Amino acid sequence: MQVGLLLSRHHKQELATRSRTLTLMTTATPITMYGADWCGDCRRAKSVLEANSVEFEYIDLEAVPTAADAAKAISGRTNIPVITFPDGTHQVEPSNAELMAKLREVGALV
């Protein structure tokens, strides 16, 4: 005996939309933060990301000194942290409010 699930057109559309959203979320460029442990702004920004359960890649510029060139190429500056987002934008030394607003904008908050 085969058991099937009957879905209304609305539910089928909703499932398709959620599937596309999930695909976009899993294939999007991750959030990346370039920073260093000695940097107060880096510790603060990292704390905001962690406190909000945001998935991100942390690149420690002390452990990977060559990554400093990548951070400078992104921002055009030597200031840290440099945080890149899935939409291709970045922030340098963002305030907590600026970072939270961007996380909301890119849908990174759970």
Side-chain angles (χ1 to χ4, degrees):
M1 177 175 165
Q2 187 175 20
V3 177
L5 179 63
L6 296 176
L7 296 174
S8 70
R9 182 181 303 171
H10 168 77
H11 286 107
K12 286 180 183 177
Q13 289 173 340
E14 186 176 331
L15 284 173
T17 300
R18 287 184 184 193
S19 176
R20 282 191 300 275
T21 301
L22 182 58
T23 300
L24 288 172
M25 288 172 55
T26 57
T27 59
T29 305
I31 294 172
T32 303
M33 178 179 154
Y34 297 84
D37 291 340
W38 52 261
C39 168
D41 285 332
C42 297
R43 289 192 308 268
R44 180 186 47 74
K46 189 176 180 184
S47 175
V48 168
L49 295 170
E50 290 172 342
N52 287 283
S53 302
V54 173
E55 289 189 34
F56 69 101
E57 178 182 5
Y58 179 72
I59 299 177
D60 183 346
L61 299 179
E62 289 291 308
V64 187
T66 55
D69 292 334
K72 184 177 180 183
I74 292 165
S75 69
R77 301 164 46 185
T78 57
N79 303 57
I80 56 175
V82 174
I83 305 170
T84 63
F85 299 94
D87 64 358
T89 62
H90 71 275
Q91 292 182 332
V92 180
E93 297 181 305
S95 68
N96 288 1
E98 291 167 333
L99 182 53
M100 289 297 292
K102 187 63 182 183
L103 294 172
R104 277 188 213 91
E105 180 183 322
V106 299
L109 296 177
V110 180

